Amino acid sequence: MSSRIYFDHSATTPLDSRVLEAMRSFLGGAYGNPSSLHQEGRVARAAVDKARAQVAALIGATPDEIIFTASGTEADNLALIGVVRASGKPGHVVAGAIEHAAILETCKFLATGGTKITHLPVDADGLVRPEGLLRALQSNVTIVSVMAANNVVGTIQPIEELAQLTKLHGVLFHTDAVQAGGKIPLDVNRLQVDLLSLSAHKLQGVGALYVRKGMGLAPIIFGGGQERGLRSATENVAGIVGFGAAAELTRKELNKEAARLAGLREYIATEVLRNFPNAYLFGHPTKRMPGHLSFGFSGQEREVGKLLDALDQAGVAVSAGSACSANHSGEPSSVLLAMGYDAESARGLIRVSLGRFSTQQEVDRFLDVLSSAVSALLGTAVSASLPGLANPAEVAFA
Ligand code: PLP
C-alpha cells in the first residue's frame, strides 16, 4: 500500500518542517526558564516574546494582549471563568448551542456556582441567528461566547455581527477560534471581540488567549505569576516558539492556502454528491472553513463506524465529527441535534478536513477508496432520500 492519506486536520495537524526547524534548539540545546535573569533565561524570554508577537500578528492584536496557555481548552476555561470571577458575581453566560465541550462543560461548571446559562439556538446550517442573541441580551448578561468556526460541520459564524450587537448592550464577547485560527482571516479589532481562544495543536501543542487591553480577567491557575499573573506555570518554550513560527507561516500563506483548500473541498463535495445518490452535506454551503467538508449517507447512518474503519484499513484517515467527543460510538452528534437533525441522521456524519499537505492526487485516491468502501459496505442500491430535518431543502445544497 502507498503512503497514508491524512484528512483529519480538524483533529490535529502534522508538523511543518519549517516549524520544527524553529523549535529545534529549544527541544534539545536551549533549556532556560524565561523568568530567569541569566543568559539562558534571557534567550528563552526573547524566544517567547518573539512568538508572542507572531501570534498577535495573526489576529491583529498587540503582543501584550496574548496570554499563552497549555491548550485551547484552557484558554476557553480562562476566558469564561476568568470573566465571571473578575465580575465578583455568578452572573449570566450566553453561549452558542453547538460550542465545543471546552465551552459547554465550562458553562456547566459555572452553573454549579449559580451562574445563569443561556444557549443560543442555531439554524439547520449551524448559524447562530442574531435575533436569538438579541433576545438573550434583554436580560443582564456577563459575557457572550460564540465559536468562530464549528469543528464538526465547519460552519463559520457571523462573529462581527454578533459581537457588534453584544457591544451595543455593553456586554463582553468571547470567540473560540481554535478551529478557525490560521484557516480564515481573523482580526480582533474588526471583529470587535474582547477575548479569543487559539490552540497551537491545529498548528501543534500549546494554546493562547487574546485578552483585550484593559478588560478585567481573574486567573484560574495560581502560582508564580507568569503571563501577567493570568497563567502561572513555567512556559512551554519549545511549544510556544513552534506556535509563533506556525502563526507567522500561516499568516503569510493563509489566502493562497484557503483558496487551494476550498477548491479541493468543492471538488470532493461535487464528486460525493454525483457518485452517491443518497449523499447529503452538513453545514453552511458557503460560510464554511476552506478545507472542511462533512457529509452523510441517508438511510445508512448506522454504518458510518464500519465505513470509517474500512477507509482506515485502506489507508485513509477521516473522522466522525469531533475527535474529542463524537466518535465511532454511534451516538448522535449533539451538534447535529442542535441543528435540527433527527437522532438517526445525527449519527451519520463523516468529516473530511484537509490541510497544508493535502493534494489533488490524494483527493482522487480518497474518492476511489470511498467508492469501493461504500459499495462493499453499504451496497449500491441506495435511496435518494434526504436526511431527517424539519426543512430538508435547507441542507441539500448541491
Ligand atoms: N474548541 C474547539 C472549537 C476545538 O475544536 C477544540 C479541539 O479540537 C478545542 C476547543 C479544544 O482545544 P485543545 O484541544 O487545544 O484543548
Side-chain angles (χ1 to χ4, degrees), residues 359-374:
T359 62
Q360 179 71 47
Q361 205 180 9
E362 285 185 333
V363 163
D364 287 333
R365 207 175 109 220
F366 161 69
L367 288 167
D368 283 349
V369 169
L370 182 68
S371 277
S372 315
V374 170

Side-chain angles (χ1 to χ4, degrees), residues 10 71-73 76 100 102 147 149 151 176 178-179 199 201-202 324:
S10 282
S71 60
T73 299
D76 283 344
H100 188 271
M147 68 203 318
N151 48 313
D176 172 347
V178 167
Q179 285 290 332
S199 170
H201 84 83
K202 313 304 168 191
C324 327

Side-chain angles (χ1 to χ4, degrees), residues 104-372:
L104 297 177
E105 293 299 316
T106 301
C107 287
K108 280 191 203 159
F109 166 74
L110 285 168
T112 63
T115 302
K116 180 181 169 192
I117 306 293
T118 302
H119 288 297
L120 298 172
V122 294
D123 66 14
D125 290 334
L127 284 176
V128 167
R129 289 287 182 213
E131 310 85 78
L133 175 60
L134 261 182
R135 252 192 319 277
L137 286 167
Q138 297 315 308
S139 59
N140 251 339
V141 175
T142 314
I143 184 166
V144 173
S145 180
V146 177
M147 68 203 318
N150 182 265
N151 48 313
V152 178
V153 291
T155 298
I156 296 171
Q157 298 293 347
I159 294 301
E160 192 172 349
E161 194 183 342
L162 300 174
Q164 210 165 22
L165 273 181
T166 304
K167 299 271 101 174
L168 285 176
H169 288 77
V171 173
L172 295 169
F173 192 93
H174 165 253
T175 189
D176 172 347
V178 167
Q179 285 290 332
K183 294 189 189 136
I184 58 171
L186 294 170
D187 182 302
V188 289
N189 294 314
R190 187 177 57 76
L191 295 175
Q192 293 189 49
V193 299
D194 299 295
L195 298 139
L196 181 148
S197 303
L198 291 170
S199 170
H201 84 83
K202 313 304 168 191
L203 315 157
Q204 81 293 140
V206 63
L209 181 67
Y210 157 77
V211 183
R212 184 174 290 285
K213 221 172 281 179
M215 67 159 289
L217 191 73
I220 58 171
I221 292 178
F222 303 91
Q226 289 91 339
E227 299 295 298
R228 293 197 284 117
L230 286 172
R231 206 281 176 170
S232 289
T234 299
E235 294 87 341
N236 165 8
V237 178
I240 288 172
V241 166
F243 193 3
E248 184 165 319
L249 285 174
T250 316
R251 182 172 60 79
K252 290 182 175 153
E253 296 172 4
L254 192 146
N255 289 341
K256 200 165 136 226
E257 192 55 9
R260 186 183 77 85
L261 292 180
L264 291 178
R265 180 201 70 212
E266 284 308 297
Y267 179 78
I268 300 177
T270 308
E271 290 299 304
V272 164
L273 293 170
R274 194 166 64 82
N275 293 335
F276 309 105
N278 66 331
Y280 57 97
L281 308 182
F282 292 107
H284 196 281
T286 54
K287 292 172 188 156
R288 55 183 307 107
M289 285 189 287
H292 186 293
L293 182 74
S294 36
F295 57 91
F297 295 107
S298 180
Q300 288 156 330
E301 288 82 358
R302 284 173 189 264
E303 307 303 321
V304 161
K306 281 191 219 149
L307 181 61
L308 294 186
D309 288 343
L311 291 175
D312 192 22
Q313 277 167 30
V316 176
V318 294
S319 69
S322 160
C324 327
S325 46
N327 44 39
H328 294 208
S329 65
E331 286 302 305
S333 151
S334 58
V335 169
L336 293 182
L337 291 176
M339 286 163 61
Y341 286 86
D342 63 29
E344 201 53 30
S345 308
R347 284 193 172 89
L349 182 134
I350 298 164
R351 178 179 74 176
V352 171
S353 47
L354 311 172
R356 185 181 295 280
F357 306 109
S358 305
T359 62
Q360 179 71 47
Q361 205 180 9
E362 285 185 333
V363 163
D364 287 333
R365 207 175 109 220
F366 161 69
L367 288 167
D368 283 349
V369 169
L370 182 68
S371 277
S372 315

